[in-house]
Amino acid sequence: MKTFLLVVFICCCGVFVADAQDLDSLFGVFYLQNTDDAKTEKANEIFKTLKSLDYFSEDVECKKADNFMYGNVYYWHGEVAFEENNFQTASKLGQKALLYIEKIGDLFMLSDCLNLVAISEFSLGNYQKAIDFFNQCYQIDLKTGDESRISSSLNFLAEVYLQINRPQIAEKYILQSIEIEKKLGRRAQLAIRYGRASAVYLQLNDYPLALDFAKRACQLDSVDNRQEKMAVRLVQTSEVYMAMDSDSMALKILNNALEIFETTENNKYIAVCCCKIAKLLFKTTILTMPKTITKNRWFCAVKWGLNRWNAMWNRDYTLFLNKKTAIRLLFI
């Protein structure tokens, strides 16, 4: 489901691994079955388990081994693979599911499946493939007339074009998505779109508009008491100030965001904030201190950022794929 893929799961590592292993085992048993009746039985067992784990809320039951059954099994296996960061497997399973779902003619299922493949390819860095699948998804969404889905596809397209440094195209898509969200009155989604627009205009070097959209996003999340989301918007706002060389303002905003992330124990964004602060301290040091002092101050700044990150790594190492990921945060 398209909304499912937008959620960031922050869960207990032990429970997550157990659930993932149970699901993988169920899918494995399904593929080993030799008769249609046995496959149908195992498919229904998979669907009941997925519902119990809140992958979906409505009952899904198959009467026979048909396109609906195979399409759903492959699709949901792809969703599970995506959640486990197995993006290549998720894409392959999504494309297998497409073969069956296209025969059913259910546009909503088709949209979900195309979205799964698109976001998997995006996660693999295959941006042109992602664009192709997102465009297909968008065309299907237009046929359904479901404005929430249309907005989602437009938002994703904007993000992909940002990644390939084509902000002019991203601008077109994100502004359309914003207008839809205003009409729908979905404030949380509108804040996300405003944040994406800020990134677009930052890449276009239109700092006043980038700052305006970042502040709009922050205001929405603040008024609606989405504190952690608001902190993410503060980080975005700091990036605009950094681009404008307003380092003191950027530093102040980052420290405010850091306080919120420490309260919510969001280790990933604590690391992001620390490393951005370290970068700012390095920049400030270069401008104001002799070279010998600059070097020492830089190492102190880096050490501070990395020490904070190392403490977080020890608390929950699953938040990063490897240490290089966190170290790279120093240079974003």
Side-chain angles (χ1 to χ4, degrees):
M1 303 166 86
K2 295 183 81 167
T3 52
F4 175 83
L5 287 173
L6 291 170
V7 177
V8 177
F9 290 93
I10 302 174
C11 54
C12 172
C13 179
V15 173
F16 172 81
V17 171
D19 290 344
Q21 288 175 342
D22 290 344
L23 285 169
D24 285 339
S25 176
L26 283 174
F27 284 114
V29 171
F30 169 84
Y31 297 132
L32 290 173
Q33 301 308 304
N34 295 319
T35 67
D36 286 350
D37 286 345
K39 283 185 179 295
T40 303
E41 180 182 346
K42 290 303 176 184
N44 286 326
E45 187 177 342
I46 288 170
F47 299 145
K48 286 180 182 178
T49 303
L50 288 169
K51 183 184 177 184
S52 72
L53 295 172
D54 295 324
Y55 279 80
F56 47 78
S57 56
E58 297 179 358
D59 289 328
V60 176
E61 185 175 1
C62 299
K63 301 297 184 183
K64 58 181 180 179
D66 55 8
N67 290 325
F68 178 84
M69 184 197 75
Y70 283 107
N72 270 280
V73 169
Y74 283 123
Y75 169 73
W76 285 108
H77 195 183
E79 288 275 18
V80 172
F82 183 89
E83 186 181 334
E84 295 176 298
N85 296 326
N86 294 329
F87 305 126
Q88 191 166 9
T89 299
S91 180
K92 288 180 179 179
L93 288 165
Q95 290 179 69
K96 271 191 174 183
L98 277 173
L99 298 175
Y100 296 96
I101 292 172
E102 285 172 344
K103 296 175 183 176
I104 299 170
D106 186 314
L107 294 180
F108 293 100
M109 287 180 65
L110 190 56
S111 170
D112 288 341
C113 200
L114 287 166
N115 186 74
L116 169 63
V117 178
I119 200 170
S120 298
E121 292 296 334
F122 174 81
S123 301
L124 290 165
N126 299 328
Y127 297 129
Q128 189 53 57
K129 282 187 177 180
I131 288 171
D132 292 342
F133 281 106
F134 276 132
N135 271 320
Q136 291 180 58
C137 184
Y138 175 54
Q139 294 304 317
I140 295 296
D141 293 336
L142 289 174
K143 289 181 181 179
T144 69
D146 188 315
E147 291 189 308
S148 64
R149 287 172 176 265
I150 294 169
S151 175
S152 176
S153 289
L154 289 167
N155 181 53
F156 275 127
L157 280 165
E159 175 60 19
V160 184
Y161 278 107
L162 266 180
Q163 291 296 320
I164 60 174
N165 298 311
R166 298 181 71 181
Q168 293 87 353
I169 299 177
E171 179 188 22
K172 176 183 71 173
Y173 289 123
I174 197 60
L175 291 180
Q176 290 180 59
S177 183
I178 285 171
E179 289 308 309
I180 292 172
E181 292 302 340
K182 285 181 178 178
K183 179 182 174 182
L184 294 176
R186 302 195 306 172
R187 291 167 62 89
Q189 284 77 10
L190 182 57
I192 292 169
R193 306 306 188 257
Y194 282 156
R196 181 84 70 236
S198 176
V200 168
Y201 287 109
L202 180 60
Q203 201 171 100
L204 286 167
N205 296 322
D206 189 336
Y207 301 141
L209 265 179
L211 190 57
D212 179 55
F213 277 109
K215 287 182 175 179
R216 288 195 220 178
C218 192
Q219 177 68 12
L220 276 176
D221 285 328
S222 176
V223 170
D224 293 347
N225 200 32
R226 292 184 292 271
Q227 288 297 303
E228 197 165 59
K229 292 290 186 183
M230 184 191 72
V232 173
R233 309 303 165 211
L234 288 174
V235 174
Q236 282 189 299
T237 306
S238 76
E239 290 170 350
V240 181
Y241 279 115
M242 289 171 72
M244 297 168 63
D245 291 324
S246 298
D247 295 339
S248 59
M249 181 62 74
L251 190 60
K252 179 181 178 181
I253 291 171
L254 280 169
N255 277 311
N256 290 339
L258 182 58
E259 287 183 12
I260 295 171
F261 291 130
E262 286 178 331
T263 300
T264 61
E265 297 185 351
N266 186 323
N267 295 339
K268 176 182 177 180
Y269 269 99
I270 291 173
V272 169
C273 288
C274 287
C275 292
K276 283 184 181 294
I277 289 170
K279 182 179 178 180
L280 277 172
L281 291 176
F282 176 49
K283 180 181 176 183
T284 304
T285 300
I286 286 179
L287 295 175
T288 61
M289 293 186 179
K291 187 178 290 185
T292 53
I293 300 176
T294 298
K295 184 177 179 181
N296 291 333
R297 182 70 182 277
W298 163 234
F299 282 121
C300 287
V302 173
K303 184 178 179 181
W304 180 57
L306 288 179
N307 279 348
R308 293 291 291 273
W309 176 82
N310 278 327
M312 292 178 288
W313 175 271
N314 292 331
R315 289 213 307 267
D316 192 347
Y317 62 87
T318 62
L319 287 170
F320 291 99
L321 296 178
N322 52 55
K323 290 196 174 186
K324 289 180 181 178
T325 304
I327 292 171
R328 273 195 224 101
L329 291 171
L330 282 168
F331 304 103
I332 59 178

